[in-house]
Amino acid sequence: MLNALKRISPINLIALGAILLTILVWLALLISLNVPWLGLSLGADGDRVTITDIAPQSPLLGTITAPAALQQINGMTLIAEDLLQEPDEISTVTDYLAFFTRNADLYHSLQLTSTLNIDNQAYIVKPLAQRPLSSLPLVFWYQIVCGVFIGIISVAVLAFNRGKDNIAPVIYSCAGFAITIAVLCSAVYSSRELVIADGIFYFLNRLNLLAGISFCGFGTALFWYFPKPLSSFPMIKATVAAIIIFYSMNLLAIIESLDISIRALFVSWFAICMLVSLLQWLHSKNNPIDRAGFKWVMFSWLAGTGAFIALVYVPMLFFKEAVVHQTWGFGALSLAYAGVSIGIIRYQLFNIDRWVSLVCFWVFCGFSLILIDLLLIYLLDFDGVNSLLISLLLVSFIYFPLRQKLLEKIMPLSEQRQFLATFQQLFNHKISPASSTREQWLTAMNALFQPQQVTATNTTVEQARFEQHGLKMRLPGFNDIPSYTLAYANNGRRLFNHHDAQLANTSALFFQHLALSKQAFQEGMVTERQRLARDLHDDIGAKLLSLIYNSSDEKSADSARAVLHELRSVIQGLQTDTISSEQFAAQLSTETSQRCNEADIKLSWQQQLSDFDISSRYWRNLRTACREIISNMLKHSHCTVITVDLKISQQQLVINLSDNGIGFDTEQPAKGNGLYNIAQRIDEINGQLTVQSTTATVVSEHSGSHFSITLNQGV
């Protein structure tokens, strides 16, 4: 059977399913409408049948008024039991068969001109040969929608099953087809005015019972085989045999009580289903992948069918009356199938891709379009041409826009749109432009998939691939970035799927180009810096040397030497990408020592440095800031000692500069821009500047200023 299904393409199976559902709905309408119709809304008042309303198309309109008691039809006294929506509510087989005998007699009575005894008065009336579509009650359309919804999901699951030997989706679809037939049969006879054609009523009710028993049997078999078979026991054969046996017992009326043969049967079968699901739960305890999907199926299925059993059959079995009528209880079964369809998206249940939901959506939209046209024809009495024109207008300007909005809400964006939307948000809020490509890549993957665990691997793959059936996904590696393995998508709430792999591959290609762009930019920047260094050395450096040697004024020569020294520092920064902390300390120490000696101020120098590289741009800002601080101390503090301490602490370069001068008020605005410029330079290199000062009128060991500069590793 599985092999035969696999020879049919998914689209063809979907088309066949849609045609079958259309035929079933058409048959339900045909049977419901081709009955003699009085145009009366009937209700039960104790044992009596009462007329609660009269339809505008009724042959009795204007003759009688509602409410009124409908006592007899052609001499046959009506009883409240004639209005039962569901014959299975009857307690015994004898009464059950008598109900259908009365229905047949009433049907034949209404074929010709009939005499109705209403409020003890006789009225001769000829019923309409067909029932208008507009007279079908809400409960009819409600059940049609439930049946079609379950049928669509069942067809889609069967069509897109990709497992080689996976019988579970076939069983799931068989259960869905069974309940679809049961619901459509119920829709026909539960919404009748009074009668249905002789024999058809009995056949539909028996077909409803067979479909209900089949649903219970296949539901139990589903939990036997999903996610993995509990044992080699041929559960399918046993299920089919049990269905045949129990249905035959009902058909042959072996048990007189319908409480036992129908209601107790369904309650017992649900209990068996719960027991099998418990065994499957224990069986999958060591497999988190199986348990994740099974947990969702178990909850959806047992919650939906459990609600139906608890609200309908259990109260009828023990209290003779349901809390919710069976016709409305079918909505709980629809919710069970809706829950499983959500599980298909989240957990890839039955190995079905997420886009199966899109197919279901479009099929449902097709049925909706047909329904709009039918409603316009029958409810508003339009002819075919006018109905088609109005349908096109409604569909074009209302239906399609609303459907597109709904589609955008419930279905995932295309890979391209999701990629653009996601990365725009990432680069605006989460990814730092200053971070490395590897850091940006990991930040993006964490934001996209929200894994519980990220680990680097020794082997690199070119395309994303799944591991452990979607529990993990290995990302592609590129450039010097290794392949990382992500585990437990969305914090363990779902498995990875093919859409995730496509998004990861597209993201990797984007970051690969981003890394190449960064590399090209860096290479261009280095080339330009080297060119600028050569120009400064060859042109301006040569002119400064000429000025020094040819200057007759010693002061001008000294100024030129100072400028040349600064120029050489700039050229050195342009020619090298980084400078070590030891080199920086040596240059700063030489310069500061010379300046303190010239000012006759003692310099206390301390350093504890290790490997710590500083980029050339950061080095120049740091040197200028330290030089400005030393200048302020020499000019304004009246100090006798300047202390400089450089050290590496927690992967940070910490520079402390202090004096024993008169200090200054840090709360008062500083004269000039010196302190402001220092703070700006430190801020430009993402450093931190702390300033403390104690004022005094004379120099003392308790007065002075203290500057602390902190710079992070890797700048």
Side-chain angles (χ1 to χ4, degrees):
M1 180 180 179
L2 287 175
N3 292 331
L5 289 173
K6 290 182 183 300
R7 285 194 289 269
I8 305 176
S9 69
I11 297 302
N12 288 338
L13 269 178
I14 289 289
L16 290 174
I19 292 172
L20 178 61
L21 286 173
T22 303
I23 292 174
L24 291 175
V25 173
W26 176 77
L27 287 174
L29 285 169
L30 186 67
I31 297 172
S32 299
L33 299 178
N34 283 278
V35 293
W37 187 68
L38 295 171
L40 303 176
S41 296
L42 304 177
D45 183 11
D47 293 333
R48 299 188 310 162
V49 174
T50 60
I51 301 172
T52 59
D53 196 13
I54 303 171
Q57 305 97 323
S58 173
L60 290 169
L61 184 67
T63 305
I64 61 173
T65 58
L70 178 59
Q71 297 159 321
Q72 292 182 337
I73 297 179
N74 289 336
M76 185 174 179
T77 301
L78 298 184
I79 58 177
E81 197 173 74
D82 293 328
L83 302 180
L84 277 178
Q85 288 183 314
E86 178 54 65
D88 291 342
E89 296 176 8
I90 299 172
S91 298
T92 65
V93 173
T94 302
D95 293 339
Y96 175 81
L97 296 176
F99 171 83
F100 287 104
T101 301
R102 286 182 59 84
N103 177 82
D105 293 341
L106 286 170
Y107 176 78
H108 289 297
S109 296
L110 291 171
Q111 291 296 309
L112 303 172
T113 301
S114 303
T115 301
L116 277 61
N117 192 323
I118 302 174
D119 285 342
N120 298 316
Q121 294 187 18
Y123 296 88
I124 298 176
V125 62
K126 182 176 178 56
L128 298 182
Q130 286 189 333
R131 180 179 188 176
L133 181 66
S134 59
S135 69
L136 291 174
L138 175 63
V139 69
F140 174 85
W141 298 110
Y142 168 77
Q143 291 178 92
I144 291 293
V145 170
C146 289
V148 169
F149 175 75
I150 295 174
I152 289 173
I153 295 178
S154 302
V155 170
V157 168
L158 186 63
F160 293 99
N161 168 37
R162 296 182 285 105
K164 294 182 179 179
D165 301 309
N166 192 1
I167 193 68
V170 178
I171 298 173
Y172 174 83
S173 298
C174 288
F177 297 147
I179 203 62
T180 296
I181 292 174
V183 174
L184 294 180
C185 289
S186 175
V188 173
Y189 60 72
S190 65
S191 58
R192 72 190 188 281
E193 180 188 47
L194 183 61
V195 297
I196 297 181
D198 184 22
I200 294 180
F201 194 173
Y202 180 77
F203 170 77
L204 290 176
N205 186 253
R206 284 300 179 180
L207 183 59
N208 170 273
L209 178 61
L210 174 60
I213 294 175
S214 300
F215 173 76
C216 292
F218 287 124
T220 304
L222 172 66
F223 286 108
W224 184 273
Y225 287 101
F226 180 79
K228 289 185 173 64
L230 288 175
S231 71
S232 59
F233 178 76
M235 190 63 178
I236 286 293
K237 295 180 180 179
T239 298
V240 174
I243 292 172
I244 294 173
I245 291 172
F246 285 114
Y247 181 68
S248 299
M249 290 175 61
N250 275 277
L251 198 62
L252 298 173
I254 294 176
I255 301 175
E256 174 68 14
S257 173
L258 294 183
D259 284 335
I260 297 176
S261 62
I262 294 181
R263 288 174 278 281
L265 171 65
F266 286 135
V267 173
S268 300
W269 218 323
F270 178 73
I272 295 173
C273 185
M274 291 184 64
L275 177 61
V276 174
S277 66
L278 177 61
L279 294 176
Q280 188 67 258
W281 176 264
L282 297 175
H283 187 254
S284 63
K285 65 179 180 179
N286 295 323
N287 193 326
I289 302 174
D290 289 346
R291 176 162 284 194
F294 174 72
K295 179 172 61 175
W296 190 269
V297 172
M298 182 177 68
F299 173 79
S300 301
W301 188 277
L302 295 184
T305 57
F308 183 84
I309 294 292
L311 295 174
V312 178
Y313 284 120
V314 171
M316 288 178 63
L317 181 61
F318 294 101
F319 308 106
K320 304 302 180 183
E321 186 175 353
V323 175
V324 175
H325 196 273
Q326 175 178 308
T327 53
W328 296 103
F330 289 128
L333 301 180
S334 300
L335 291 177
Y337 273 76
V340 174
S341 67
I342 295 173
I344 290 172
I345 298 176
R346 292 190 60 179
Y347 297 105
Q348 297 177 279
L349 299 180
F350 311 131
N351 293 323
I352 296 172
D353 284 330
R354 298 168 65 163
W355 58 283
V356 64
S357 297
L358 182 61
V359 175
C360 293
F361 181 81
W362 285 109
V363 173
F364 184 79
C365 289
F367 275 100
S368 301
L369 183 59
I370 296 172
L371 182 61
I372 289 177
D373 196 52
L374 289 174
L375 290 176
L376 289 172
I377 291 174
Y378 288 98
L379 297 182
L380 302 180
D381 292 328
F382 289 150
D383 59 28
V385 175
N386 290 332
S387 173
L388 179 60
L389 291 175
I390 295 176
S391 294
L392 290 175
L393 289 174
L394 291 175
V395 166
S396 299
F397 295 103
I398 299 177
Y399 178 69
F400 281 152
L402 290 177
R403 185 186 66 181
Q404 187 63 30
K405 291 292 184 182
L406 178 63
L407 184 63
E408 292 175 356
K409 292 289 185 182
I410 66 174
M411 295 302 298
L413 296 173
S414 66
E415 178 187 346
Q416 293 83 0
R417 291 179 61 192
Q418 182 175 358
F419 177 82
L420 292 175
T422 302
F423 275 84
Q424 182 179 6
Q425 183 179 7
L426 285 175
F427 278 96
N428 285 341
H429 303 289
K430 294 186 178 181
I431 293 181
S432 172
S435 57
S436 65
T437 303
R438 178 180 301 199
E439 292 172 340
Q440 293 176 342
W441 169 247
L442 290 176
T443 301
M445 294 302 99
N446 275 286
L448 283 173
F449 305 114
Q450 300 176 18
Q452 286 187 338
Q453 183 179 353
V454 180
T455 55
T457 60
N458 295 327
T459 57
T460 300
V461 296
E462 295 182 355
Q463 297 289 322
R465 66 187 189 190
F466 302 129
E467 296 179 352
Q468 300 181 23
H469 305 285
L471 192 65
K472 298 180 179 180
M473 181 175 68
R474 181 173 295 189
L475 300 175
F478 55 92
N479 297 350
D480 60 340
I481 298 176
S483 291
Y484 287 90
T485 299
L486 309 182
Y488 312 107
N490 281 30
N491 294 315
R493 290 193 295 270
R494 68 175 182 86
L495 302 178
F496 289 102
N497 52 53
H498 293 284
H499 178 78
D500 296 328
Q502 293 174 357
L503 185 57
N505 291 330
T506 305
S507 302
L509 184 62
F510 171 80
F511 275 93
Q512 187 174 3
H513 286 293
L514 180 63
L516 292 175
S517 299
K518 278 187 175 182
Q519 182 179 353
F521 175 77
Q522 293 290 341
E523 291 175 353
M525 185 174 64
V526 169
T527 301
E528 182 62 21
R529 285 166 59 185
Q530 291 175 347
R531 184 195 65 79
L532 183 59
R534 287 195 303 269
D535 291 345
L536 289 174
H537 180 272
D538 295 343
D539 296 338
I540 300 178
K543 292 178 180 179
L544 284 173
L545 283 174
S546 177
L547 179 61
I548 292 171
Y549 291 129
N550 296 327
S551 176
S552 58
D553 183 3
E554 187 63 28
K555 185 176 181 181
S556 298
D558 290 340
S559 298
R561 289 189 186 93
V563 173
L564 181 60
H565 177 72
E566 289 297 319
L567 180 63
R568 287 172 176 171
S569 297
V570 172
I571 293 173
Q572 181 183 3
L574 291 173
Q575 291 176 333
T576 58
D577 292 331
T578 61
I579 183 174
S580 68
S581 57
E582 287 87 351
Q583 290 176 302
F584 169 75
Q587 294 177 0
L588 183 61
S589 174
T590 301
E591 178 183 327
T592 305
S593 177
Q594 180 180 353
R595 296 178 67 188
C596 286
N597 289 336
E598 293 175 353
D600 195 22
I601 294 176
K602 180 181 178 181
L603 174 64
S604 174
W605 186 273
Q606 302 173 13
Q607 67 179 57
Q608 294 179 349
L609 301 174
S610 57
D611 293 337
F612 191 100
D613 293 333
I614 309 171
S615 69
S616 58
R617 185 172 70 87
Y618 285 24
W619 161 67
R620 288 194 298 273
N621 276 35
L622 192 60
R623 185 194 62 178
T624 304
C626 291
R627 178 184 293 169
E628 184 68 22
I629 292 172
I630 297 295
S631 296
N632 288 336
M633 291 179 176
L634 294 175
K635 293 179 181 178
H636 308 297
S637 70
H638 304 290
C639 65
T640 59
V641 178
I642 293 178
T643 302
V644 180
D645 180 18
L646 294 85
K647 60 182 179 181
I648 305 296
S649 175
Q650 298 179 351
Q651 296 186 336
Q652 292 179 322
L653 173 62
V654 180
I655 305 174
N656 294 310
L657 303 100
S658 57
D659 63 54
N660 64 343
I662 61 174
F664 63 95
D665 188 355
T666 57
E667 299 297 328
Q668 294 295 326
K671 296 180 180 180
N673 296 319
L675 190 58
Y676 173 78
N677 290 337
I678 294 171
Q680 283 292 101
R681 291 186 181 276
I682 298 302
D683 185 63
E684 287 176 2
I685 59 177
N686 299 320
Q688 295 85 40
L689 173 66
T690 304
V691 181
Q692 296 176 341
S693 184
T694 304
T695 59
T697 56
V698 294
V699 174
S700 70
E701 60 180 5
H702 301 295
S703 63
S705 303
H706 177 80
F707 295 79
S708 179
I709 300 173
T710 304
L711 196 64
N712 294 322
Q713 173 73 41
V715 297

